[in-house]
C-alpha cells in the first residue's frame, strides 16, 4: 500500500488504464475542428514561420465561415514586420474577441531559468492568452492536462479549458480521456482552407484549434492508445474530455485499501483452513473482480480506480501463504534469544513512533535504549545510565511521575524545553512522554512498564516564527514599523489616561527625487538610501518610526509639541534627511524631503486620523517651492471635505444631466467673419446655482471624471455644431488626464462618426503642461489626430512650460496667446513685445495665431496690426448656448461682429 501511495506502481496502473480506454472507444462531440499546419500546407506557403498575414487570412476565413472560437497553438510572442503584425492585429480586432493565442512557459537558454512566451500586447488586447503547456508523465506520455497556469504574476486558463465552460484551479490537472477516438475528429489542412475548398458547414458553429502536425515543426507528443499526435490534437482531446463531462476523478486509495483489506482478511482468516490452491484461486478471483469493477467505473461513471496495488497485494498474499506453509514447519524459538528479541522489539517500537530523538526508561529509572540523535543532543553514553543523572531535571521528574501514575492520558500533550547548545546558543526542544507495557523476557514473567521520551529540535522553527512576527509588524527593508503596527503603538499610548494627558505628535516625511536614485543607480542603491533614511530618522529621538509608503515615513512622539517646537523639529528632520548619502561603489545620492505634522490638540487621539491629517499637511508642504514643512489646520480638512462633496455632486450632475455647453465665438481679425467657436462646459446645480469650471474641473481631473465629461463634451459639441454653417470650426479642450488615461484618438473618431461633423471642422485644444512627461507619446497621438484631418491648437501659450523648441517639433496648427498678455494691451509695452515675437515665430513656422481675452476695439485693432489672424473674447460676444447660436445664424448667416445683444 505504501509503495502504491508513493507511485511505485504508476507505470502498471497507467498501462491498465490505457487498456480500459482501448476497450471502449467513444466518438468526439464534433464541436471542435482541427485546422492542421501539415507538410502540404507548409509547402503551399513556402516558408516558416509564416507571415502574420497568413494567420490573419486564417482568422478571417474561419470567422467568415461562422466559427464560434478560434484558438492558436502557435507562438506569437515575438514581433514580425510592422506590416505583417498590423495585418494580424487587424484580423484579431475584426474577430471581436473570439480568438485565443498561445502562451507558454519554457526553460531559458542558461541556468535553467524559466521564461514566459506571451502574445505581443498589440495582439493580446484583442485575443485572450491561453496556456498550451502539457505535462509529460510516466514513460514520456502525456496523460494529464492543466486547467490553467501561472506565468509570472498572472494566471491564464489552458487552451482546452478556454474552449469550454469548465474551470478549475490553475495548479490542478485532470486526466485526458483517451477513449475519445482521435481519428473521428474533423481535420482540415490549412492549405485547403486557404484555397477555399473547405465547406463552411464543417466550421460553422464550431470551435477551431489551429496547430501543427508537420514533423519538421516538432509539435508532436506521445500519448496513450493513439501514439504520436500533434500538440493541437492533445488540446482538442482535453477540451473534448471537458465537453463530454468526462472529468475523470480518481477514487483515491480508499477503495483500494478496502479491497486489499478484504484480501488480507480472506488470506489471514482462511490461512491454514483451506489448501494453498484454493487460497490462490480465491485471490485471483478477487483480482479479476477488481479489474472488472475498475473497467465499469471508468467507462460508465468517469471514475479511475488504480488496481496495480490490488494485484501486487494479491501476489504478496500468495507469497505470504507460501511462507505460512513454510513457517508452519519451522516453528522453533530458543528461550535464550527471547530477552534479546524483546529488548530489540522495545527499541524498534519506540523508534517507529518517535519524533526525532528517542530515550526509553524502565520502571527503575534506568535508560534501556536511546537513539543516535538523542545522544547527539543530550550527550553520549545514555544507555545504562540513570535518567536523573543525564536528563534535564524537568524531564526526569515527568518520567518518574508518569511511570508511577496509575493511569495515563491516551494522547499526551507535547511540551517545550530550552537548553543551551555547544555554541552557547539557546536550543528549543519539543518533547512528549508516553508509557507502554512491554512483554517480559521470560514466558511467565509479567509485562514491564517503560516510559518513552521522544523529542525534536524546533529551534529553527521558533526563530522562523519570531522572524515572521517581526515581518508582520515591521518593514523588512528598513526595520521600521509598518503602518498597522504604528497604528497599534499610537492606540496603545492613547488608551491610557497618562498617554492622553501627555498628548501625541505625528509627523509624515516624504522623500523627493528618490525616484531619480532608483532610475539612475538602480533599486539596490535606492534600498541603501531608504535604510540610511530610516537610520537618520531613528536618530531624531522619535518614539516610533514607521514606513508608510514606498518613500514616506511616519514619526510618532509620546508628547504634544507646540507649533514653534514642531516646526523646528520638522526642519531638523528635513535637514538630516537631505544631507548627502554615501553609497557603495563610490556613489553619492542627493534627495530632498517634505514633512507634514499634527498633534493631538489638532487631530485628537485616533491613530488613523492623526496619520491622515499629517498626510494632508504633507501635501501642502510638498507644494511649497523645493519642498517644505506644513502643520495641519482645520482648513485643510475642510478643503478635503469640500473636494469630496464636490466629487459626489459632480457625479450626480453627470447622472442628472446638469452639465450643458456654451460656445464662445472666434472671429477673423482681418474681415471680422465668424470662423469658429470654442465649446465651454457649464454646470448649473439645483441648489448651488452656476458652478464655476475653475471649481469643478480640477476635481474632475483628480477623480478621473474628466474622462467621462470630456467624452460627453466632445460628442455633444460635434452633434450641435454639425448643423451650423460649414465655415464655422469647433474647438474643444482636451485635458492632459484624457491623454494619459483614455484613447483620445478613438474618442475623437467616435464623436465624428456619431455626429457626422467633418474632421476638418474640429480643433483639439491642448495645454503646454501635458508635455512635461511622456512628450513623445503625446506627440504621436497628436500626429494621429492630424492624420485624420483634425486640427491641433496649443492653448494658453506663454503661461506654462513654454519652450520654443516645442513649437518646431509639435504637430500644431494654431497657437492661442493667453489672455493675460492680451488684457494688458495696448498700454503694456512688454506684453506687446512678447506677442510680436510670438507672431514672428508663428509666421516662420506657418502656425495660425489666436488671441484670447479681447475685450476692446483697441486690443482687436492692435492685434490685427501685429499680424494676429483670429481673435476671441467678450468684444466679439459672450458664450452662447447652441440654441442661441442657431437663432443668431438664422438672423445673420455667417457674418459675425458684433454678436453681443
Amino acid at each position: 500500500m505504501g509503495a502504491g501511495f508513493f507511485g511505485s506502481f504508476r507505470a502498471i496502473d497507467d498501462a491498465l488504464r490505457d487498456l480500459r480506454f482501448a476497450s471502449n472507444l467513444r466518438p468526439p462531440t464534433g464541436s471542435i475542428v482541427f485546422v492542421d499546419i501539415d507538410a502540404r500546407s507548409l509547402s503551399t506557403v513556402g516558408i516558416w514561420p509564416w507571415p502574420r498575414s497568413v494567420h490573419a487570412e486564417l482568422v478571417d476565413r474561419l470567422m467568415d465561415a461562422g466559427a464560434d472560437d478560434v484558438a492558436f497553438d502557435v507562438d506569437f510572442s515575438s514581433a514580425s514586420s510592422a506590416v505583417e503584425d498590423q495585418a494580424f492585429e487587424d484580423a484579431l480586432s475584426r474577430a471581436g474577441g473570439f480568438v485565443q493565442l498561445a502562451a507558454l512557459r519554457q526553460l531559458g537558454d542558461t541556468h535553467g531559468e524559466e521564461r514566459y512566451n506571451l502574445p505581443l500586447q498589440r495582439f493580446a488586447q484583442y485575443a485572450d492568452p491561453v496556456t498550451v503547456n502539457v505535462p509529460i508523465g510516466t514513460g514520456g506520455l502525456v496523460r494529464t492536462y492543466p486547467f490553467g497556469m501561472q506565468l509570472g504574476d498572472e494566471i491564464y486558463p489552458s487552451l482546452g479549458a478556454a474552449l469550454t465552460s469548465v474551470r478549475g484551479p490553475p495548479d490542478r490537472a485532470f486526466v485526458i480521456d483517451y477513449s475519445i477516438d482521435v481519428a473521428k475528429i474533423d481535420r482540415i489542412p490549412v492549405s485547403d482552407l486557404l484555397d477555399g475548398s473547405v465547406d463552411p458547414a464543417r466550421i460553422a458553429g464550431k470551435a477551431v484549434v489551429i496547430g501543427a502536425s508537420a514533423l519538421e515543426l516538432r509539435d508532436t507528443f506521445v500519448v496513450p492508445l493513439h501514439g504520436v499526435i500533434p500538440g493541437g490534437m492533445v488540446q482538442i482531446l482535453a477540451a473534448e474530455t471537458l465537453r463530454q463531462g468526462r472529468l475523470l476523478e480518481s477514487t483515491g486509495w480508499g477503495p483500494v485499501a478496502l479491497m486489499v483489506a478484504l484480501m488480507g482478511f480472506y488470506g489471514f482468516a482462511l490461512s491454514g483452513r483451506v489448501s494453498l490452491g484454493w487460497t490462490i484461486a480465491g485471490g485471483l478471483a478477487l483480482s479479476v473482480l477488481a479489474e472488472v469493477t475498475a473497467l465499469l467505473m471508468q467507462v460508465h461513471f468517469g471514475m479511475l480506480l488504480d488496481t496495480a496495488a490490488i494485484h501486487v497485494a494479491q501476489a504478496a498474499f500468495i507469497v505470504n501463504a507460501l511462507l505460512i506453509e513454510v513457517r508452519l514447519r519451522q516453528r522453533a524459538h530458543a528461550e535464550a534469544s527471547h530477552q534479546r528479541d524483546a529488548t530489540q522489539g522495545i527499541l524498534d517500537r519506540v523508534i517507529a513512533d518517535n519524533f526525532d530523538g528517542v530515550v526509553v526508561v524502565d520502571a527503575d529509572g534506568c535508560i534501556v535504549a536511546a537513539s543516535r540523535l538523542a545522544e547527539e543532543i543530550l550527550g553520549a553514553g545514555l544507555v545504562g545510565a540513570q535518567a536523573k543523572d543525564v536528563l534535564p531535571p524537568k524531564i526526569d521528574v515527568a518520567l518518574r511521575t508518569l511511570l508511577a501514575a496509575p493511569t495515563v492520558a491516551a494522547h499526551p500533550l507535547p511540551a517545550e524545553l530550552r537548553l543551551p547548545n555547544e555554541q552557547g546558543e539557546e536550543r528549543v526542544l519539543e518533547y512528549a512522554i508516553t508509557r507502554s507495557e512491554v512483554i517480559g523476557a521470560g514466558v511467565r514473567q509479567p509485562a514491564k512498564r517503560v516510559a518513552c521520551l521522544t523529542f525534536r529540535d524546533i529551534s529553527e522553527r521558533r526563530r522562523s516564527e519570531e522572524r515572521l512576527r517581526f515581518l508582520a509588524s515591521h518593514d523588512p527593508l528598513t526595520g521600521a514599523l509598518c503602518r498597522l503596527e504604528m497604528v497599534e503603538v499610537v492606540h496603545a499610548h492613547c488608551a491610557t489616561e497618562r498617554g492622553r494627558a501627555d498628548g501625541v505628535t505625528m509627523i509624515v516625511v516624504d522623500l523627493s527625487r528618490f525616484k531619480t536614485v532608483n532610475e539612475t543607480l538602480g533599486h539596490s542603491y535606492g534600498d541603501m538610501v531608504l535604510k540610511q533614511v530610516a537610520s537618520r530618522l531613528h536618530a531624531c529621538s522619535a518614539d516610533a518610526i514607521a514606513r508608510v509608503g514606498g518613500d514616506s515615513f511616519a514619526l510618532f512622539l509620546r508628547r504634544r509639541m507646540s507649533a514653534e517646537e514642531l516646526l523646528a523639529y520638522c526642519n531638523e528632520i528635513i535637514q538630516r534627511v537631505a544631507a548627502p548619502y554615501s553609497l557603495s561603489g563610490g556613489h553619492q545620492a542627493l534627495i530632498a524631503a517634505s514633512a507634514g505634522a499634527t498633534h493631538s490638540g489638532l487631530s485628537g487621539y485616533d491613530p488613523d486620523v492623526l496619520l491622515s491629517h499629517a498626510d494632508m499637511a504633507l501635501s501642502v508642504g510638498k507644494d511649497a517651492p523645493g519642498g517644505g514643512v506644513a502643520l495641519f489646520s482645520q482648513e485643510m480638512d475642510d478643503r478635503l471635505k469640500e473636494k469630496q462633496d464636490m466629487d459626489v455632486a459632480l457625479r450626480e450632475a453627470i447622472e442628472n444631466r446638469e452639465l450643458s455647453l456654451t460656445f464662445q465665438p472666434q472671429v477673423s481679425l482681418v474681415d471680422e467673419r465668424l470662423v469658429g467657436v470654442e465649446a465651454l462646459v457649464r454646470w448649473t446645480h439645483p441648489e448651488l446655482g452656476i458652478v464655476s469650471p475653475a471649481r469643478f474641473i480640477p476635481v474632475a481631473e483628480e477623480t478621473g471624471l474628466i474622462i467621462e465629461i470630456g467624452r460627453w463634451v466632445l460628442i455633444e459639441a460635434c452633434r450641435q455644431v454639425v448643423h451650423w454653417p460649414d465655415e464655422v470650426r469647433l474647438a474643444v479642450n482636451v485635458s492632459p488626464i484624457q491623454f494619459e488615461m483614455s484613447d483620445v484618438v478613438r474618442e475623437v473618431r467616435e464623436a465624428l462618426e456619431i455626429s457626422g461633423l467633418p474632421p476638418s471642422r474640429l480643433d483639439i485644444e491642448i495645454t503646454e503642461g501635458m508635455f512635461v512627461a511622456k512628450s513623445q507619446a503625446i506627440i504621436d497621438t497628436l500626429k494621429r489626430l492630424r492624420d485624420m484631418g483634425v486640427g491641433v491648437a496649443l492653448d494658453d501659450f506663454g503661461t506654462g512650460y513654454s519652450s520654443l523648441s516645442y513649437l518646431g517639433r509639435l504637430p500644431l496648427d494654431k497657437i492661442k496667446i493667453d489672455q493675460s498678455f492680451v488684457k494688458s494691451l495696448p498700454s503694456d509695452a512688454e506684453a506687446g513685445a512678447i506677442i510680436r515675437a510670438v507672431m514672428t515665430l508663428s509666421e516662420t513656422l506657418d502656425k495660425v495665431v489666436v488671441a484670447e481675452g479681447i475685450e476692446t476695439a483697441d486690443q482687436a485693432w492692435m492685434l490685427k496690426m501685429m499680424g494676429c489672424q483670429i481673435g476671441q473674447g467678450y468684444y466679439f460676444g459672450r458664450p452662447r448656448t447652441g440654441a442661441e447660436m442657431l437663432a443668431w445664424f438664422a438672423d445673420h448667416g455667417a457674418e459675425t461682429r458684433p454678436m453681443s445683444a
Side-chain angles (χ1 to χ4, degrees):
M1 283 294 295
F5 182 79
F6 289 105
S8 300
F9 308 141
R10 186 70 269 157
I12 301 175
D13 280 322
D14 286 342
L16 292 171
R17 185 180 296 171
D18 295 344
L19 290 174
R20 297 183 202 119
F21 281 139
S23 68
N24 185 53
L25 290 178
R26 62 181 66 244
T29 62
S31 60
I32 306 177
V33 178
F34 179 49
V35 173
D36 190 3
I37 304 175
D38 56 5
R40 182 160 60 89
S41 300
L42 288 179
S43 176
T44 300
V45 178
I47 60 171
W48 183 267
W50 285 349
R52 294 277 163 82
S53 58
V54 175
H55 296 294
E57 184 179 354
L58 276 177
V59 172
D60 288 337
R61 287 182 178 269
L62 289 170
M63 298 313 295
D64 291 341
D68 279 350
D69 294 284
V70 177
F72 278 89
D73 188 7
V74 179
D75 187 2
F76 293 101
S77 62
S78 59
S80 177
S81 68
V83 174
E84 295 293 332
D85 282 349
Q86 186 61 51
F88 189 52
E89 179 184 348
D90 293 340
L92 294 177
S93 174
R94 290 189 295 272
F98 292 97
V99 178
Q100 289 91 34
L101 299 182
L104 60 151
R105 176 170 59 195
Q106 59 185 14
L107 293 178
D109 297 331
T110 59
H111 308 298
E113 73 275 16
E114 290 185 347
R115 66 186 179 88
Y116 310 117
N117 288 9
L118 294 171
L120 296 177
Q121 180 58 39
R122 65 187 300 176
F123 302 153
Q125 65 177 323
Y126 301 110
D128 294 331
V130 292
T131 63
V132 296
N133 291 82
V134 293
I136 306 300
T138 57
L141 277 67
V142 177
R143 297 184 180 277
T144 61
Y145 187 87
F147 279 103
M149 188 173 296
Q150 182 166 347
L151 302 183
D153 296 330
E154 295 291 331
I155 293 175
Y156 301 94
S158 60
L159 189 153
L163 294 180
T164 72
S165 61
V166 182
R167 294 292 183 271
D171 57 349
R172 179 188 170 194
F174 60 90
V175 177
I176 298 176
D177 187 356
Y178 285 108
S179 66
I180 298 172
D181 194 348
V182 170
K184 294 183 179 179
I185 295 175
D186 195 3
R187 194 164 175 168
I188 301 174
V190 170
S191 57
D192 291 351
L193 190 63
L194 293 177
D195 64 21
S197 62
V198 177
D199 184 0
R202 294 174 65 184
I203 299 172
K206 299 179 182 179
V208 177
V209 175
I210 302 174
S213 68
L215 294 180
E216 53 265 46
L217 299 186
R218 295 183 296 178
D219 186 23
T220 57
F221 296 91
V222 182
V223 302
L225 191 60
H226 307 297
V228 179
I229 65 173
M233 276 296 185
V234 175
Q235 307 291 341
I236 293 176
L237 282 175
E240 283 284 349
T241 298
L242 297 178
R243 287 198 175 197
Q244 295 191 28
R246 295 286 295 170
L247 193 59
L248 303 177
E249 297 287 348
S250 175
T251 61
W253 282 96
V256 176
L258 178 60
M259 298 191 74
V260 171
L262 288 174
M263 290 180 179
F265 175 80
Y266 168 82
F268 287 111
L270 301 181
S271 178
R273 299 183 183 182
V274 297
S275 66
L276 181 62
W278 280 108
T279 301
I280 294 174
L284 292 176
L286 287 175
S287 292
V288 172
L289 175 62
E291 199 57 42
V292 172
T293 301
L295 176 62
L296 292 175
M297 293 177 66
Q298 182 168 319
V299 171
H300 297 290
F301 303 101
M303 302 295 292
L304 299 175
L305 177 64
D306 293 330
T307 57
I310 298 175
H311 302 316
V312 172
Q314 180 58 42
F317 288 138
I318 293 175
V319 172
N320 183 65
L322 293 171
L323 292 176
I324 290 176
E325 289 288 322
V326 174
R327 283 198 299 269
L328 288 175
R329 297 170 177 84
Q330 294 180 343
R331 264 180 207 189
H333 297 285
E335 185 68 24
S337 64
H338 186 74
Q339 179 64 43
R340 182 196 61 202
D341 294 339
T343 302
Q344 186 63 44
I346 293 173
L347 183 59
D348 290 342
R349 181 174 178 181
V350 169
I351 292 177
D353 297 331
N354 78 87
F355 286 79
D356 288 325
V358 178
V359 176
V360 181
V361 181
D362 63 15
D364 298 325
C366 179
I367 298 176
V368 296
S371 67
R372 178 186 57 81
L373 187 59
E375 293 195 335
E376 288 181 2
I377 295 177
L378 300 176
L382 293 178
V383 178
Q386 288 292 314
K388 63 180 180 179
D389 297 330
V390 294
L391 297 182
K394 182 178 179 181
I395 292 180
D396 176 58
V397 171
L399 282 168
R400 288 189 281 109
T401 302
L402 183 65
L403 286 169
T407 59
V408 295
H411 303 286
L413 296 176
E416 290 187 10
L417 179 68
R418 296 181 180 268
L419 296 174
N421 60 15
E422 296 81 357
Q423 291 77 30
E425 299 176 350
E426 188 177 64
R427 167 180 279 162
V428 183
L429 299 181
E430 182 182 58
Y431 68 91
I433 303 175
T434 59
R435 193 177 77 181
S436 303
E437 304 292 334
V438 183
I439 298 175
V443 176
R444 297 184 178 180
Q445 290 182 358
K448 289 184 176 181
R449 177 175 291 181
V450 297
C452 177
L453 165 68
T454 56
F455 60 89
R456 61 161 55 108
D457 188 343
I458 61 169
S459 305
E460 187 61 33
R461 189 174 80 186
R462 287 290 178 262
R463 282 192 288 269
S464 297
E465 290 172 351
E466 292 173 0
R467 175 63 177 166
L468 288 174
R469 282 194 292 271
F470 176 83
L471 293 177
S473 59
H474 292 74
D475 172 45
L477 175 64
T478 64
L481 299 177
C482 67
R483 184 185 182 94
L484 289 177
E485 187 64 17
M486 171 66 90
V487 170
E488 291 298 325
V489 169
V490 178
H491 181 74
H493 172 74
C494 296
T496 65
E497 185 176 347
R498 173 67 181 273
R500 298 175 73 88
D502 292 341
V504 174
T505 297
M506 183 68 70
I507 303 167
V508 175
V509 178
D510 185 77
L511 308 182
S512 303
R513 299 197 299 273
F514 175 71
K515 182 179 179 183
T516 304
V517 176
N518 278 335
E519 292 176 346
T520 56
L521 300 179
H523 287 276
S524 60
Y525 286 92
D527 291 345
M528 295 181 197
V529 172
L530 289 174
K531 291 178 182 178
Q532 294 188 37
V533 169
S535 177
R536 294 183 185 184
L537 293 177
H538 279 295
C540 294
S541 303
D543 292 298
I545 306 293
R547 186 180 177 192
V548 295
D551 55 1
S552 58
F553 294 83
L555 293 84
F556 160 64
L557 291 90
R558 301 178 188 274
R559 61 190 180 91
R560 172 180 168 181
M561 288 185 172
S562 65
E564 295 77 10
E565 184 183 10
L566 186 52
L567 284 172
Y569 184 66
C570 290
N571 283 313
E572 178 188 350
I573 292 173
I574 290 178
Q575 291 174 5
R576 284 177 179 263
V577 172
Y581 292 82
S582 297
L583 308 176
S584 61
H587 293 286
Q588 192 177 57
L590 293 174
I591 61 174
S594 303
T598 188
H599 53 69
S600 51
L602 293 171
S603 304
Y605 299 95
D606 187 303
D608 290 315
V609 174
L610 286 163
L611 283 168
S612 176
H613 286 180
D615 199 53
M616 289 183 196
L618 172 65
S619 299
V620 177
K622 289 167 68 174
D623 291 338
V629 177
L631 301 185
F632 173 76
S633 64
Q634 188 59 42
E635 289 76 10
M636 297 178 186
D637 195 30
D638 293 341
R639 284 197 298 269
L640 177 62
K641 291 179 180 178
E642 181 184 358
K643 186 180 296 183
Q644 292 171 341
D645 293 341
M646 179 65 71
D647 176 45
V648 173
L650 188 54
R651 292 177 187 275
E652 293 177 351
I654 296 174
E655 183 177 352
N656 298 333
R657 299 186 178 183
E658 297 172 5
L659 300 180
S660 61
L661 292 180
T662 59
F663 302 89
Q664 186 166 30
Q666 294 179 340
V667 175
S668 170
L669 296 180
V670 177
D671 55 12
E672 296 187 347
R673 289 184 303 103
L674 177 66
V675 295
V677 293
E678 179 180 359
L680 305 174
V681 63
R682 294 292 183 261
W683 176 17
T684 304
H685 191 273
E687 297 178 1
L688 302 177
I690 297 177
V691 182
S692 170
R695 289 184 61 192
F696 70 83
I697 291 298
V699 174
E701 290 183 330
E702 287 185 19
T703 59
L705 287 175
I706 192 65
I707 296 176
E708 184 176 353
I709 294 175
R711 186 184 300 113
W712 175 82
V713 169
L714 188 60
I715 295 174
E716 183 62 24
C718 291
R719 182 181 286 124
Q720 294 191 37
V721 173
V722 71
H723 301 293
W724 301 357
D726 292 343
E727 59 268 24
V728 178
R729 297 179 63 88
L730 168 65
V732 178
N733 289 281
V734 178
S735 166
I737 305 299
Q738 292 176 257
F739 275 89
E740 180 179 354
M741 300 180 65
S742 66
D743 187 346
V744 173
V745 175
R746 180 181 60 81
E747 293 180 355
V748 169
R749 183 181 292 111
E750 179 183 352
L752 294 174
E753 291 176 353
I754 292 174
S755 64
L757 185 74
S760 59
R761 292 184 61 189
L762 177 63
D763 287 334
I764 295 298
E765 294 192 358
I766 60 175
T767 59
E768 300 170 82
M770 70 171 58
F771 296 102
V772 176
K774 301 181 180 179
S775 59
Q776 187 57 49
I778 300 297
I779 291 174
D780 293 341
T781 300
L782 296 179
K783 287 181 178 178
R784 292 171 61 192
L785 289 172
R786 294 189 74 199
D787 290 343
M788 292 169 52
V790 176
V792 179
L794 182 61
D795 199 9
D796 300 333
F797 181 73
T799 62
Y801 302 89
S802 299
S803 173
L804 297 179
S805 64
Y806 277 130
L807 296 181
R809 62 189 183 93
L810 291 182
L812 299 175
D813 300 286
K814 296 179 181 179
I815 297 174
K816 298 188 71 174
I817 300 175
D818 187 70
Q819 61 182 343
S820 60
F821 297 103
V822 175
K823 286 185 176 181
S824 58
L825 295 178
S827 59
D828 190 336
E830 292 183 357
I834 293 174
I835 294 175
R836 278 191 294 272
V838 173
M839 296 295 180
T840 301
L841 181 61
S842 300
E843 182 179 358
T844 303
L845 298 175
D846 194 24
K847 311 292 184 186
V848 176
V849 178
V850 180
E852 296 182 292
I854 300 176
E855 297 183 352
T856 66
D858 291 341
Q859 292 171 346
W861 178 84
M862 187 172 185
L863 288 167
K864 176 181 178 180
M865 292 299 101
M866 291 180 181
C868 181
Q869 297 97 323
I870 299 174
Q872 176 179 339
Y874 284 176
Y875 173 69
F876 300 106
R878 294 181 175 273
R880 297 190 178 192
T881 66
E884 292 172 338
M885 291 295 299
L886 282 175
W888 191 89
F889 283 126
D891 295 337
H892 301 82
E895 297 178 2
T896 306
R897 185 187 173 279
M899 292 192 67
S900 56

